[in-house]
Amino acid sequence: MTMNNQGRPTRPEDTASYTPFPTHTGNRALEIAEPLIFEVGDFEGTGVDLPKAEGIKPRIAGFDRQHAPHLPGLAEPEAMRHYVRLSQKNYAIDMGLFPLGSCTMKHNPRLNEKVARLKGFADIHPLQPQSTVQGALEMIDILAGWLKELTGMPAVAMSPKAGAHGELCGMMAIKAALIARGEGETRTRVLAPESAHGTNPATAAQCGFTVDDIPADETGRVDLAAFKEKLGPDVAGIMVTNPNTCGLFERDIREIADAVHEAGGYFYCDGANFNAIMGKARPGDLGVDAMHINLHKTFSTPHGGGGPGSGPTVLADSLAPYAPVPFIIQDEDGFRLVEDIEGEAKDAFGRLVAFHGQMGMYVRALTYMLSHGKDGLKQAAEDAVLNANYVLKRLSAEMTPAFDGTCMHEALFSDEFLKDTGVGTLDFAKAMIDEGFHPMTMYFPLVVSGAMLIEPTESESKQGLDQFCDALLGLARDAKSGDQLEKFKAAPIYSPMRRLDETQAARNPVLKWTEDAPSMAAE
Amino acid sequence: MRYLPLNDKERAEMRGVIGVGAIDDLFRDVPADALNPALDLPDHKSELEVEREMMALARKNNAAGDTAFFVGCGAYRHHVPATVDHIIQRSEFLTAYTPYQPEIAQGTLQYLFEFQTQVAELTGMEIANASMYDGSTAAAEAALMAKRITKRRKVICSGGLHPHYEAVIRTNLELIGDEVVFAPSNPEGQGGLTDMIDEETSCIIVQSPDVFGHLRDLSALADAAHEKGALLVAVVTEAVSFGLLKSPGEQGADIVVGEGQSIGNAINFGGPYVGLFAARDKHRRHMPGRLAGETVDADGKRGYVLTLSTREQHIRREKATSNICTNSGLCALAFTVHMSLLGGTGLRQLAILNHENACKTADALSAISGVELLNDSFFNEFTIRLPKNAEAVVEELARQKILAGVPGGRLWPGNEDLENILIVAATERTTSDDIDRLASGLEQAIKG
């Protein structure tokens, strides 16, 4: 048993339960069990050499922290190894296909990273004089121009810090517009299709609206009749994802827009799947009033293990006056940030973030746009849709497509093909890990039983897709054969960790390391 | 196109397999008159051309490193060890997604667990989440959390709160009909807050060091809030201050939110940043955002997963604690790596250096005739009053490549009482030469 300096086991002895010859360390070549920094680090030490302090008498009015924070400092080689070892326990888009539907894991060009680190972008302060950041303001203005042209919308609020934050921006603009119309108190209901991202109803609720679900029809799209029945004078608007989370284009989008407008409401479009139609179709031509764009999905800024995202929100003329501060205008003196809610931006619904949004993401997104150009963006959307349909067609030989026909940029299956095999959706997904692939999105959208949503994106080669399809077809056949149940139940076998107990984590939450608490790991 | 692997021959083969003739057969659900719009945008460019174009834009900005730099107010320019940027650029961190499959995402999950531990210790709180968008949005979420806990709808903001944070809180709460009460911003000090707390108050939000640099006694406010059944939300915009100052948790705060940009992250013109969010354990189910938790795998090995997700939007939809479905993962990693190098000892040393440079800067500036220092206490940022409009002075100094600080007019446009104040920040990057340049430049500008 390897113990740390607090006497906690850092790795259990039976890691070798599935290896023929246990090692003395418990490690297995490149697969190294990595303790927490708190178990190896020196609590008195530091891995940073700082200039010497002069010993000036502090002026902190008795607010001294009595002891330095109780956190270890690792020497640089220790820290480097620790985090490099941790990194090796992660799957990433640079390693292989990451088919998480609705998450859009596409290639992250390194040129984006290089440009984002230019000192003229990374080393400027949000509150330094605007005369000294004209290039930054111009850059944001150019990016805004691309977003407006690609979506056919006249205005854009740049500051939302993630897709869900962009939804909040759009719905707040709608709320502000309703208040300005004198209908802030009466229009309180927001319609949200069942296939909507869970953020949509959560956002509507956070803006003080009540949420009314709209069912999907048998084709996987908004049930038009049910939707129209729900319209009324208390409807603030509808939130539709298009292309939707079933991987389908809402072909009645204009009828939906017209009907909601006629009823006096607004049309919010969740633009999370804009990558399927960039350069191919513009939401502004289809009657949309507000839509956020996930720069990290559509325009290739890296997801970074879950953020940071960026969610600029395009707005129609009807909502543009209510856009939050700050925004950029150009006049004879150059580019200027408008920040005064009492003055020039008097109709603005307020402020969403302290500063100007995700500059680092803007730089990456614009770099990607310039690299692709309008021809390349269109080709990327076409390839994303082509790849998804190729996967849909090939996998349909053994798996159950959720709906008939073609799809947009993601292919949706149900777990019908696993019925009576004893293999569950989760088992199937975990078996994909052993084949060297990240699993697809599971159990979403909710309108399909045991949903499996696969989004290959345009980054995948035909050869890569064939390998992926061959593996999934093989797994489907294995499941149906009935004699490989054990493999699925044990999966994943070859990953750094085997199936993790999520129930225990939720039942008895351990959310930080503490010195005296026993580890959960087997003794 | 260098980012697209398919060639035309493969595209044709694949269309054949699918059984469509032309690519637009796959877009047939899009209204025909809206398909393939003419776009007024350029075609693709080579890597060299793109780099050249972006560099030209970058060069139009006056980078902080090319100036004597004293700008703070919620974003601080610190030295970031080279190791940090190297680690966050590793593909396995940079290009990973939310750790939905924990078996192949332990790298992300373990650093989030380390991040949560570090943030809890720094803030003096029992638990912390896996990060928020930034400090200001974290503050708004804290107000919403206090409402969920207390079931009350009135928030009190201290006048020392960063005005942009105030605006973000106001935007999020007033739109849903909640009451937000503000004490006026006053650089000379802040009294009377305790009298404002009543039985309707869900929380009182106080920043320390505040936007003027003053250190605030949170203990008395915490007691006053608790007496009326309200919560104390403490805001910290400079995470390095945790190294030297008594933590908000020690002073009785119920929720601590902060901006973590100072540790491991560049100033980036305002984002991406990393919001810190810490609370008492009893309130964990009311917390917004992601949480990484410890568990075991099928072999009994210790591992980590995202947990307590029954609070979240993807399960609870409109009943979720917040609509947030991401965090600032990579910025949290930068924070964690930098913090792991510093350790508590290093952070304390760093904080002392910051404080000493601020003391030296304050002494140099307050020695100038006509300049008045408004702080008795401060950490690495303080406020001075000038005999003339500070915005004009800052513009004048900017032309000499001295970025002198944040003038009152920038944060409180139209407020005549604050237009002569200048908020000045120093960090470990501030040199004696910088201080000399600022002091002599300011002296000249005041005379001129």
Side-chain angles (χ1 to χ4, degrees), chain B residues 361-380:
Chain B
T361 310
D363 287 344
L365 300 187
S366 54
I368 299 169
S369 164
V371 171
E372 186 191 355
L373 175 67
L374 301 184
N375 300 70
D376 296 324
S377 65
F378 54 87
F379 172 60
N380 68 352

Side-chain angles (χ1 to χ4, degrees), chain A residues 8 15 17-18 34-35 37 39 44 46-47 54-56 59 63 65 69-74 76 82-83 86-87 89-94 103 108-110 114 117 119-120 122-128 131-133 135-136 138 149 164 172 175 203 206-207 221 251 254 280 302-307 339 351 354 358-360 370-375 378-379 383 387 430 442 458-459 462 496-501 506 510-513 520 522, chain B residues 1-5 11 13-14 17 24 27 29 33 36-37 39-45 51 60-62 64-66 71-72 75 77 83 85 89-97 101-108 110 113-114 116-117 121-122 126 136 164 171 175-176 215 242 244-246 268-269 271-272 293-302 305 307 318 323 327 329-330 336 340-345 348 355-356 360 363 377-378 395 410:
Chain A
R8 284 157 54 111
T15 50
S17 59
Y18 50 100
E34 187 61 18
I37 52 166
E39 294 161 345
E44 307 300 319
T46 178
E54 293 176 23
I56 295 173
R59 295 186 222 173
F63 288 108
R65 191 169 184 129
H70 189 59
L71 294 169
L74 277 61
E76 194 171 303
H82 175 72
Y83 289 105
L86 286 190
S87 75
K89 297 174 192 298
N90 264 8
Y91 193 92
I93 189 67
D94 282 354
C103 300
N108 301 139
R110 287 314 188 276
K114 182 178 178 183
R117 284 171 170 79
K119 66 179 181 179
D123 193 25
I124 52 173
H125 191 286
L127 295 174
Q128 73 186 64
S131 57
T132 65
V133 290
E138 185 181 350
E149 183 64 16
M172 283 180 170
K175 183 101 176 183
T203 298
Q206 192 158 335
C207 290
R221 296 173 175 83
R251 55 188 162 220
R254 277 196 175 130
K280 295 292 290 181
H303 289 73
E339 299 192 276
R351 176 183 275 277
Q358 307 285 59
M359 177 70 174
L370 294 175
S371 300
H372 267 292
K374 70 168 185 292
D375 55 331
K378 184 179 171 194
Q379 184 70 60
D383 284 0
N387 279 353
K430 297 297 184 192
M442 280 180 295
E458 73 275 13
S459 304
K462 178 171 179 296
M497 284 282 181
R498 297 189 55 216
R499 229 178 272 196
L500 284 140
D501 188 343
V510 178
L511 305 177
K512 67 170 184 183
W513 176 85
M520 273 188 196
Chain B
M1 238 339 276
R2 60 189 178 277
Y3 302 144
L4 302 176
R11 288 181 181 120
E13 269 176 48
M14 292 165 73
V17 171
D24 281 349
F27 288 85
D29 289 336
D33 64 317
N36 298 322
L39 297 174
D40 184 18
L41 294 168
D43 279 338
H44 73 274
K45 292 190 172 76
E51 198 173 323
K60 291 184 187 176
N61 302 315
N62 205 337
D66 297 334
V71 189
R77 186 167 180 267
T83 302
D85 197 44
Q89 285 203 70
R90 277 192 69 93
S91 283
E92 306 91 327
F93 287 133
L94 185 74
T95 75
Y97 193 66
Q101 298 291 337
E103 295 83 5
I104 47 173
Q106 285 298 301
T108 296
Q110 185 168 333
F113 189 79
E114 292 176 351
Q116 290 171 185
T117 306
E121 169 62 21
L122 292 174
E126 288 161 0
S136 67
H164 290 178
T171 300
L175 206 66
I176 49 173
L215 307 186
F242 289 127
L244 188 61
L245 302 180
K246 196 184 281 185
N268 277 329
F269 201 49
E294 184 182 310
T295 188
V296 290
D297 81 347
D299 291 324
K301 277 202 284 188
R302 181 177 61 178
V305 294
T307 193
E318 68 267 26
N323 78 326
N327 60 327
L330 207 61
T336 296
S340 298
L341 288 163
L342 284 166
T345 307
R348 190 177 188 86
H355 183 57
E356 290 195 345
K360 285 194 274 185
D363 287 344
S377 65
F378 54 87
E395 280 294 339
R410 180 75 188 264

